[in-house]
Amino acid sequence: MLRFVPPAGAPLKIAQILRAWKVADRGNGTGQECLRSVTGHLQVKYVFGASSGRAALWLILRSLQRLHPERNVVAIPAYTCFSVAAAVVRTGLKIYPVEIDPHTLDFDFSQLDAVPGEKLLCIIPSNLFGLLNDLPRIRQAAQAKDAFVLDDAAQALGATRNGQFAGTEGDVGLFSLGRGKAVTTIEGGLIVTNSEEIARLVEQEAKDLDSQSRIDGAALLLKMLLYSVLLNPRLYWIPNSVPFLGLGVTEFDPGFKTEELPDLCRALLPALLNEMAKINQVRRSNAAAIMRAVAGNCNFEFPSPVRDSHPSFVRLPVIARNKETAKMAIRRMRKAGIGAGASYPSAICDIPGIAEHMSVKSFHRPEAEFLSERLLTLPVHPLVGAQDLSRMADILNSL
Ligand SMILES: Cc1ncc(COP(=O)(O)O)c(C=O)c1O
């Protein structure tokens, strides 16, 4: 069977890409104007662009470090995207991995409260899969240690809690515009803050970024056009069967590029942000349909969202009872043409060579390590059909 539902994705129309290309080509600061439109959409004062979410993270960490040069430790969830660890390492800072609560994917707060405060620069929640973390509680922990909160909403663009957007609940926040995120321009990252002091420093740091080369710019345009066509479940089997594209592969690579957000990405933002709420609503409704159909099945658990929140569900996380059940579910889904996947291959603590970048000798976190074996994710984006949803539920219920 050739139909294969991509694991994640957001629609990107050819007409939108070509319109943005024309706008970007005009120059005259229109890219900057488009970037500024983010402030209105997300109700923040300042916004900056970078070539990726991890480049945005690196810029922010450099800026925060200038405010507190005597602090060199960053607390991150022990289970999160490897890029978070890579950005901390790239900045020359040390990682303090905090145990996570597998029922929420948020921090284990007793462990967060126990993080030594003296050298702590900031705490980075990850809002994994677009499920919001408990930011008021995290801010409280940070305040007690006089540390910053960096609200990493790489996966949570458009998610809200009590009407406030994820990414805007800390001192500074970020979003990724990479493939598979809530809204995508294929590559790119955004930094948002309401703090004038942090904004000034980020602006200074961002001045040194190189702009994208013409060749890379042409390649980006081509990637956008291909993505727009190949995201269709009837065609996705094509990129999915090309191993060198590395789709779904997670790497720890502190050598990532740090450039400006390309003008083409900036020019796409206004149109994409206009559609964001509608697309996230579809994701939520698809996620709810699967959760309803699988309710009561003791082999699988869905992490619970924090109260009064509307997640963006870039993927629907499902926690299997054990490793074998997770593996079997993924195998059966993929056989049925559903892009289910295993998320990150390990906890942060188990990345090879990570020990020298840890701020503590004892850095293994059993819940995070166990979770990495049992977590699978299901596609719930707008290209998932009603039949796909019932097929996913049937497979989970058959195990
Ligand atoms: C929580 C988190 N932070 C940062 C990043 C880095 O974003 P990017 O892939 O755009 O570099 C990611 C990427 O998936 C992420 O999930």
Side-chain angles (χ1 to χ4, degrees), residues 93-222:
L93 295 165
K94 296 283 180 197
I95 298 169
Y96 187 105
V98 182
E99 183 62 289
I100 49 120
D101 176 344
H103 304 293
T104 59
L105 304 186
D106 202 340
F107 290 113
D108 172 332
F109 285 105
S110 63
Q111 303 275 319
L112 184 65
D113 290 337
V115 176
E118 199 190 321
K119 291 271 173 191
L120 188 67
L121 178 66
C122 67
I123 300 174
I124 311 186
S126 284
N127 300 291
L128 282 187
F129 311 111
L131 279 164
L132 277 79
N133 293 152
D134 188 346
L135 261 290
R137 183 66 185 80
I138 293 166
R139 276 203 307 267
Q140 192 187 323
Q143 257 162 23
K145 300 168 200 300
D146 201 18
F148 295 105
V149 174
L150 197 175
D151 191 6
D152 179 345
Q155 304 188 19
L157 184 50
T160 58
R161 192 182 62 82
N162 277 330
Q164 189 169 353
F165 284 100
T168 68
E169 290 198 271
D171 297 287
V172 56
L174 76 99
F175 304 100
S176 165
L177 299 169
R179 276 188 288 113
K181 299 304 188 309
V183 164
T184 184
T185 59
I186 305 300
E187 57 190 59
L190 297 172
I191 297 169
V192 289
T193 183
N194 287 313
S195 154
E196 192 183 334
E197 189 180 34
I198 295 176
R200 214 182 45 242
L201 288 168
V202 171
E203 190 172 25
Q204 281 170 16
E205 290 290 334
K207 273 201 183 109
D208 294 334
L209 295 178
D210 287 329
S211 46
Q212 192 179 46
S213 72
R214 278 191 160 272
I215 294 180
D216 285 349
L220 175 61
L221 176 63
L222 186 65

Side-chain angles (χ1 to χ4, degrees), residues 9 70 86 89 121 148 155 168 183 193 210 225 230 240 313 340 354 382 390:
E70 75 290 358
V89 169
L121 178 66
F148 295 105
Q155 304 188 19
T168 68
V183 164
T193 183
D210 287 329
L225 293 169
L230 297 175
N240 195 42
F313 283 127
I354 201 72
S390 36

Side-chain angles (χ1 to χ4, degrees), residues 273-318:
L273 291 174
N274 275 336
E275 294 174 351
M276 176 176 75
K278 208 170 66 198
I279 293 174
N280 283 339
Q281 180 55 46
V282 174
R283 290 191 176 108
R284 276 194 292 278
S285 139
N286 287 344
I290 298 176
M291 289 192 273
R292 254 194 325 270
V294 182
N297 180 335
C298 57
N299 280 323
F300 299 100
E301 181 189 343
F302 298 95
S304 24
V306 73
R307 267 181 56 200
D308 301 320
S309 70
H310 290 93
S312 57
F313 283 127
V314 288
R315 299 162 187 231
L316 175 64
V318 189

Side-chain angles (χ1 to χ4, degrees), residues 320-380:
R321 192 161 50 109
N322 55 33
K323 186 173 164 178
E324 291 69 33
T325 313
K327 273 192 171 164
M328 202 185 302
I330 294 171
R331 206 167 38 239
R332 288 206 194 159
M333 298 263 181
R334 295 185 77 84
K335 215 168 154 201
I338 305 281
S343 197
Y344 311 120
S346 77
I348 294 294
C349 342
D350 293 325
I351 296 174
I354 201 72
E356 63 175 299
H357 303 292
M358 293 292 191
S359 68
V360 274
K361 284 215 166 65
S362 153
F363 57 79
H364 283 284
R365 303 290 180 257
E367 285 291 358
E369 290 170 26
F370 186 38
L371 180 76
S372 73
E373 299 177 346
R374 298 184 295 142
L375 186 85
L376 62 141
T377 67
L378 302 179
V380 286

